Amino acid sequence: MTRQGLEGLEPEALDLVILENVGNLVCPAEFDTGAVKNCMILSVPEGHDKPLKYPLMFQVCDTVIINKTDVLPYFDFDMDKCAEYIRLRNPNARIFPISAKTGQGVEALADWLKEEVRNWKGD
């Protein structure tokens, strides 16, 4: 399905394609989508223990975006523990704490994406 979708988009004209594989924290990790990089979004309200409960998802991802950091004061979410648990599953995973609401951290994530595109294209 990924290949079919890309053919319809004329991939030679594209620098970056984002494929959203929605679902729980189990099923999307079990299927190879053909992606060059795998990224997952963990929301602060979900809890910092998710890397322990869903190890495969964190093992297969290259990047973890921890979103909704603007609500940290309202939830029992330990950012350091979360990072520790992610590193237990995947020591090489990049971690980007962001707030989609305030924009905090989004620039660092965008810079990383741009660098990955440059590396992939060989620029």
Side-chain angles (χ1 to χ4, degrees), residues 17-33:
V17 175
I18 297 175
L19 172 67
E20 182 180 11
N21 189 2
V22 297
N24 58 32
L25 292 176
V26 177
C27 296
E30 294 178 344
F31 300 101
D32 181 5
T33 62

Side-chain angles (χ1 to χ4, degrees), residues 38-105:
N38 289 301
C39 177
M40 66 137 335
I41 301 172
L42 173 64
S43 218
V44 165
E46 292 177 278
H48 62 264
D49 61 339
K50 291 303 179 259
L52 299 178
K53 291 183 176 181
Y54 303 100
L56 182 60
M57 178 58 87
F58 292 87
Q59 288 168 353
V60 302
C61 65
D62 300 288
T63 305
V64 177
I65 298 169
I66 302 175
N67 192 21
K68 300 186 182 179
T69 56
D70 52 287
V71 298
L72 276 168
Y74 309 105
F75 289 89
D76 184 22
F77 188 97
D78 186 325
M79 188 67 74
D80 292 333
K81 276 291 182 197
C82 187
E84 176 187 331
Y85 297 156
I86 292 168
R87 298 269 181 257
L88 283 172
R89 303 299 183 213
N90 185 345
N92 299 316
R94 297 287 308 260
I95 301 171
F96 292 96
I98 72 164
S99 168
K101 181 178 180 179
T102 68
Q104 181 182 7

